Structure formats: C-alpha cells, structure tokens
Amino acid sequence: GAGVSQSPRYKVAKRGQDVALRCDPISGHVSLFWYQQALGQGPEFLTYFQNEAQLDKSGLPSDRFFAERPEGSVSTLKIQRTQQEDSAVYLCASSSGTGETGELFFGEGSRLTVL
Amino acid sequence: EDQVTQSPEALRLQEGESSSLNCSYTVSGLRGLFWYRQDPGKGPEFLFTLYSAGEEKEKERLKATLTKKESFLHITAPKPEDSATYLCAVPPPSSGYALNFGKGTSLLVTP
C-alpha cells in the first residue's frame, strides 16, 4: 500500500491481557515512530526506530510496553498485562529520513480499549 | 512543563469567516515548528514546517507564520472541508526527531 498501515484498527482487551499492535510503514522509510494519543489530547511520543535499531524508548510509560522492528520494516508494539489507563489510540508514523524535518506519515491508528 | 500550548481549544466558524489559530511554545533553540491536521478517526497529516521567525508557508486557504514565541495558522475564507483538529508540534531540546504536540484546536466550519 501507499501509506502506513496499522492493525488491528480496534482492539478490546480485558485488564491483564497482553496485546500486540502492528505497523507496516511506507516501503523504504528508514524511521519509524510510535505515539500514544488519549482522547482530546495531542499525540505523545513513545519510541523511535532507525532501521532495526531502537534509538529512543524514553516515552514508553512502563516496562509493560515493548516495541520491536527486527528487520527494519514492520514494527510491533506490545503491551503486557494491560491496564485501563492504557486505553488510547496508538499511532505509528514513518519517515524517509531521520524525521528531523517533522514530516511524518501517520497511520490511522489502533484504538485500544481496556475493560 | 508544557512546551506547546494551543488556543482556542475549539473554534466554530461560518463558511467564509476567516480566523487564526495560535500555538505558543516555550522551548529554547527552536529546531522547527510543525503543523498537522487530524480528521476524526485518522492519523495526523503533515501541513507545514517553519524554522525561523518571520517565515511563512501557504497551502490553499491556510497560511502559517512564526515569531520567536508563537505560530499562527491563518484560515482564509474557510470551507466545511477545513473542519478538523489542527495540531502544532516542536522537537524537545533533547531530541531532533521526537515531537511534542499541543492538544490541538478543534475547528468546525459550518455552511
């Protein structure tokens, strides 16, 4: 596809369950970002990959959050033992450069609801 | 401490009624200010990057301007299809790639 693809679009999890969210960036894009967006808020940075290297994970809220991009393309954000406060939209974005231009291409997001 | 503050939170305009959205930032050594548009249920869509005070960028009915403390997004003669949330973002001092977003301005343009 031409754009960033995320799946699932919607996920409902019971508290304590593990979830995995997938991001398929634009082909050839070096940089990949994960953001978390709560209702009525702007996106908040979670983590950044340049190819397969995770260069910054300072925004991950806790050690229950884990992201990987093993082959430098598709990325997965995993949340273990989900809590209600994890309910949010998780946005993936990619960029052809290092992202310093700020021109990120976002997917439509994965909306996670934890009951 | 918030680095980006947007106002107003919400704005309702009649079609053709021009207005401006504000983005105030506190980060020193600005390395770019970015505007995005976000439609309901979609991811943000890049609009503009501004790097230095006095710089202006235009796209259709939108014009973004930058001063040393704030940026304005001017909307001239808006149409209903301009209805969206407009987000402003800056990189934090510690990073050139992560973006700190404001909460956005929700714009509704009625016919």
PDB file of all heavy atoms in Angstrom, chain B residues 37 47-48 57-63 74-77 79 81-82:
ATOM      1  N   ARG B  37      -2.754  18.428  10.509  1.00  0.00           N
ATOM      2  CA  ARG B  37      -4.216  18.394  10.513  1.00  0.00           C
ATOM      3  C   ARG B  37      -4.634  16.971  10.843  1.00  0.00           C
ATOM      4  O   ARG B  37      -4.062  15.999  10.318  1.00  0.00           O
ATOM      5  CB  ARG B  37      -4.745  18.787   9.125  1.00  0.00           C
ATOM      6  CG  ARG B  37      -6.219  18.498   8.928  1.00  0.00           C
ATOM      7  CD  ARG B  37      -6.667  18.653   7.504  1.00  0.00           C
ATOM      8  NE  ARG B  37      -8.022  18.160   7.360  1.00  0.00           N
ATOM      9  CZ  ARG B  37      -8.998  18.838   6.770  1.00  0.00           C
ATOM     10  NH1 ARG B  37      -8.754  20.039   6.248  1.00  0.00           N
ATOM     11  NH2 ARG B  37     -10.216  18.335   6.691  1.00  0.00           N
ATOM     12  N   LEU B  47       1.238  19.348   7.476  1.00  0.00           N
ATOM     13  CA  LEU B  47       0.905  20.548   6.710  1.00  0.00           C
ATOM     14  C   LEU B  47       2.144  21.389   6.407  1.00  0.00           C
ATOM     15  O   LEU B  47       2.470  21.639   5.256  1.00  0.00           O
ATOM     16  CB  LEU B  47      -0.103  21.413   7.476  1.00  0.00           C
ATOM     17  CG  LEU B  47      -1.514  20.860   7.648  1.00  0.00           C
ATOM     18  CD1 LEU B  47      -2.333  21.760   8.573  1.00  0.00           C
ATOM     19  CD2 LEU B  47      -2.197  20.715   6.293  1.00  0.00           C
ATOM     20  N   PHE B  48       2.825  21.858   7.467  1.00  0.00           N
ATOM     21  CA  PHE B  48       3.918  22.818   7.297  1.00  0.00           C
ATOM     22  C   PHE B  48       5.036  22.575   8.298  1.00  0.00           C
ATOM     23  O   PHE B  48       4.798  22.087   9.399  1.00  0.00           O
ATOM     24  CB  PHE B  48       3.436  24.257   7.568  1.00  0.00           C
ATOM     25  CG  PHE B  48       2.273  24.724   6.750  1.00  0.00           C
ATOM     26  CD1 PHE B  48       1.041  24.938   7.337  1.00  0.00           C
ATOM     27  CD2 PHE B  48       2.429  24.982   5.390  1.00  0.00           C
ATOM     28  CE1 PHE B  48      -0.024  25.390   6.597  1.00  0.00           C
ATOM     29  CE2 PHE B  48       1.364  25.439   4.644  1.00  0.00           C
ATOM     30  CZ  PHE B  48       0.124  25.633   5.244  1.00  0.00           C
ATOM     31  N   LYS B  57       4.458  30.038   5.409  1.00  0.00           N
ATOM     32  CA  LYS B  57       4.189  28.972   4.436  1.00  0.00           C
ATOM     33  C   LYS B  57       2.699  28.998   4.122  1.00  0.00           C
ATOM     34  O   LYS B  57       1.880  29.253   5.010  1.00  0.00           O
ATOM     35  CB  LYS B  57       4.562  27.597   5.012  1.00  0.00           C
ATOM     36  CG  LYS B  57       6.045  27.387   5.269  1.00  0.00           C
ATOM     37  CD  LYS B  57       6.752  26.847   4.055  1.00  0.00           C
ATOM     38  CE  LYS B  57       8.227  26.639   4.288  1.00  0.00           C
ATOM     39  NZ  LYS B  57       8.520  25.421   5.068  1.00  0.00           N
ATOM     40  N   GLU B  58       2.345  28.719   2.897  1.00  0.00           N
ATOM     41  CA  GLU B  58       0.941  28.735   2.487  1.00  0.00           C
ATOM     42  C   GLU B  58       0.557  27.457   1.771  1.00  0.00           C
ATOM     43  O   GLU B  58       1.386  26.868   1.045  1.00  0.00           O
ATOM     44  CB  GLU B  58       0.672  29.912   1.525  1.00  0.00           C
ATOM     45  CG  GLU B  58       0.595  31.249   2.181  1.00  0.00           C
ATOM     46  CD  GLU B  58       0.112  32.329   1.234  1.00  0.00           C
ATOM     47  OE1 GLU B  58      -1.059  32.277   0.815  1.00  0.00           O
ATOM     48  OE2 GLU B  58       0.904  33.228   0.924  1.00  0.00           O
ATOM     49  N   LYS B  59      -0.698  27.078   1.977  1.00  0.00           N
ATOM     50  CA  LYS B  59      -1.256  25.930   1.255  1.00  0.00           C
ATOM     51  C   LYS B  59      -2.750  26.125   1.166  1.00  0.00           C
ATOM     52  O   LYS B  59      -3.447  26.090   2.183  1.00  0.00           O
ATOM     53  CB  LYS B  59      -0.931  24.633   1.999  1.00  0.00           C
ATOM     54  CG  LYS B  59      -1.454  23.379   1.321  1.00  0.00           C
ATOM     55  CD  LYS B  59      -1.058  22.151   2.128  1.00  0.00           C
ATOM     56  CE  LYS B  59      -1.562  20.880   1.481  1.00  0.00           C
ATOM     57  NZ  LYS B  59      -1.155  19.674   2.258  1.00  0.00           N
ATOM     58  N   GLU B  60      -3.213  26.396  -0.028  1.00  0.00           N
ATOM     59  CA  GLU B  60      -4.636  26.654  -0.270  1.00  0.00           C
ATOM     60  C   GLU B  60      -5.110  27.775   0.645  1.00  0.00           C
ATOM     61  O   GLU B  60      -4.604  28.893   0.589  1.00  0.00           O
ATOM     62  CB  GLU B  60      -5.440  25.370  -0.105  1.00  0.00           C
ATOM     63  CG  GLU B  60      -5.059  24.304  -1.121  1.00  0.00           C
ATOM     64  CD  GLU B  60      -5.883  23.036  -0.984  1.00  0.00           C
ATOM     65  OE1 GLU B  60      -6.712  22.930  -0.077  1.00  0.00           O
ATOM     66  OE2 GLU B  60      -5.692  22.133  -1.814  1.00  0.00           O
ATOM     67  N   ARG B  61      -6.069  27.516   1.521  1.00  0.00           N
ATOM     68  CA  ARG B  61      -6.640  28.574   2.370  1.00  0.00           C
ATOM     69  C   ARG B  61      -5.869  28.748   3.682  1.00  0.00           C
ATOM     70  O   ARG B  61      -6.270  29.545   4.538  1.00  0.00           O
ATOM     71  CB  ARG B  61      -8.111  28.251   2.670  1.00  0.00           C
ATOM     72  CG  ARG B  61      -8.983  28.288   1.414  1.00  0.00           C
ATOM     73  CD  ARG B  61     -10.397  27.828   1.720  1.00  0.00           C
ATOM     74  NE  ARG B  61     -10.453  26.410   2.081  1.00  0.00           N
ATOM     75  CZ  ARG B  61     -10.405  25.415   1.209  1.00  0.00           C
ATOM     76  NH1 ARG B  61     -10.296  25.676  -0.079  1.00  0.00           N
ATOM     77  NH2 ARG B  61     -10.476  24.162   1.626  1.00  0.00           N
ATOM     78  N   LEU B  62      -4.800  28.015   3.875  1.00  0.00           N
ATOM     79  CA  LEU B  62      -4.028  28.040   5.111  1.00  0.00           C
ATOM     80  C   LEU B  62      -2.710  28.785   4.922  1.00  0.00           C
ATOM     81  O   LEU B  62      -2.023  28.595   3.918  1.00  0.00           O
ATOM     82  CB  LEU B  62      -3.735  26.617   5.593  1.00  0.00           C
ATOM     83  CG  LEU B  62      -4.924  25.706   5.866  1.00  0.00           C
ATOM     84  CD1 LEU B  62      -4.430  24.309   6.257  1.00  0.00           C
ATOM     85  CD2 LEU B  62      -5.805  26.280   6.955  1.00  0.00           C
ATOM     86  N   LYS B  63      -2.387  29.606   5.921  1.00  0.00           N
ATOM     87  CA  LYS B  63      -1.077  30.240   5.943  1.00  0.00           C
ATOM     88  C   LYS B  63      -0.546  30.162   7.355  1.00  0.00           C
ATOM     89  O   LYS B  63      -1.214  30.571   8.307  1.00  0.00           O
ATOM     90  CB  LYS B  63      -1.132  31.704   5.500  1.00  0.00           C
ATOM     91  CG  LYS B  63       0.256  32.344   5.470  1.00  0.00           C
ATOM     92  CD  LYS B  63       0.271  33.695   4.785  1.00  0.00           C
ATOM     93  CE  LYS B  63      -0.254  34.806   5.644  1.00  0.00           C
ATOM     94  NZ  LYS B  63      -0.056  36.136   5.007  1.00  0.00           N
ATOM     95  N   HIS B  74      -3.375  30.845   9.931  1.00  0.00           N
ATOM     96  CA  HIS B  74      -4.454  31.699   9.445  1.00  0.00           C
ATOM     97  C   HIS B  74      -5.293  30.912   8.439  1.00  0.00           C
ATOM     98  O   HIS B  74      -4.730  30.283   7.530  1.00  0.00           O
ATOM     99  CB  HIS B  74      -3.864  32.948   8.775  1.00  0.00           C
ATOM    100  CG  HIS B  74      -2.902  33.689   9.628  1.00  0.00           C
ATOM    101  ND1 HIS B  74      -3.284  34.598  10.594  1.00  0.00           N
ATOM    102  CD2 HIS B  74      -1.539  33.654   9.657  1.00  0.00           C
ATOM    103  CE1 HIS B  74      -2.201  35.095  11.183  1.00  0.00           C
ATOM    104  NE2 HIS B  74      -1.132  34.539  10.644  1.00  0.00           N
ATOM    105  N   ILE B  75      -6.603  30.974   8.612  1.00  0.00           N
ATOM    106  CA  ILE B  75      -7.500  30.278   7.688  1.00  0.00           C
ATOM    107  C   ILE B  75      -8.352  31.339   6.999  1.00  0.00           C
ATOM    108  O   ILE B  75      -9.145  32.033   7.658  1.00  0.00           O
ATOM    109  CB  ILE B  75      -8.380  29.265   8.431  1.00  0.00           C
ATOM    110  CG1 ILE B  75      -7.495  28.285   9.195  1.00  0.00           C
ATOM    111  CG2 ILE B  75      -9.279  28.525   7.453  1.00  0.00           C
ATOM    112  CD1 ILE B  75      -8.245  27.296  10.040  1.00  0.00           C
ATOM    113  N   THR B  76      -8.177  31.447   5.708  1.00  0.00           N
ATOM    114  CA  THR B  76      -8.867  32.471   4.928  1.00  0.00           C
ATOM    115  C   THR B  76     -10.060  31.861   4.207  1.00  0.00           C
ATOM    116  O   THR B  76      -9.916  30.863   3.495  1.00  0.00           O
ATOM    117  CB  THR B  76      -7.911  33.097   3.909  1.00  0.00           C
ATOM    118  OG1 THR B  76      -6.785  33.658   4.589  1.00  0.00           O
ATOM    119  CG2 THR B  76      -8.617  34.195   3.104  1.00  0.00           C
ATOM    120  N   ALA B  77     -11.230  32.479   4.419  1.00  0.00           N
ATOM    121  CA  ALA B  77     -12.474  32.035   3.766  1.00  0.00           C
ATOM    122  C   ALA B  77     -12.630  30.523   3.866  1.00  0.00           C
ATOM    123  O   ALA B  77     -12.657  29.815   2.836  1.00  0.00           O
ATOM    124  CB  ALA B  77     -12.500  32.494   2.308  1.00  0.00           C
ATOM    125  N   LYS B  79     -13.845  26.631   4.308  1.00  0.00           N
ATOM    126  CA  LYS B  79     -14.944  25.819   3.800  1.00  0.00           C
ATOM    127  C   LYS B  79     -15.206  24.686   4.792  1.00  0.00           C
ATOM    128  O   LYS B  79     -14.325  24.343   5.592  1.00  0.00           O
ATOM    129  CB  LYS B  79     -14.579  25.245   2.432  1.00  0.00           C
ATOM    130  CG  LYS B  79     -14.347  26.310   1.369  1.00  0.00           C
ATOM    131  CD  LYS B  79     -14.054  25.677   0.023  1.00  0.00           C
ATOM    132  CE  LYS B  79     -13.898  26.756  -1.048  1.00  0.00           C
ATOM    133  NZ  LYS B  79     -13.636  26.155  -2.384  1.00  0.00           N
ATOM    134  N   GLU B  81     -15.002  21.631   4.521  1.00  0.00           N
ATOM    135  CA  GLU B  81     -13.993  20.575   4.457  1.00  0.00           C
ATOM    136  C   GLU B  81     -12.703  20.922   5.205  1.00  0.00           C
ATOM    137  O   GLU B  81     -11.820  20.065   5.362  1.00  0.00           O
ATOM    138  CB  GLU B  81     -13.658  20.209   3.001  1.00  0.00           C
ATOM    139  CG  GLU B  81     -13.279  21.378   2.121  1.00  0.00           C
ATOM    140  CD  GLU B  81     -14.453  21.870   1.276  1.00  0.00           C
ATOM    141  OE1 GLU B  81     -15.586  21.967   1.821  1.00  0.00           O
ATOM    142  OE2 GLU B  81     -14.224  22.171   0.090  1.00  0.00           O
ATOM    143  N   ASP B  82     -12.596  22.150   5.691  1.00  0.00           N
ATOM    144  CA  ASP B  82     -11.464  22.539   6.526  1.00  0.00           C
ATOM    145  C   ASP B  82     -11.683  22.130   7.982  1.00  0.00           C
ATOM    146  O   ASP B  82     -10.773  22.272   8.815  1.00  0.00           O
ATOM    147  CB  ASP B  82     -11.218  24.045   6.456  1.00  0.00           C
ATOM    148  CG  ASP B  82     -10.788  24.504   5.071  1.00  0.00           C
ATOM    149  OD1 ASP B  82     -10.019  23.769   4.420  1.00  0.00           O
ATOM    150  OD2 ASP B  82     -11.233  25.578   4.636  1.00  0.00           O
TER     151      ASP B  82
END
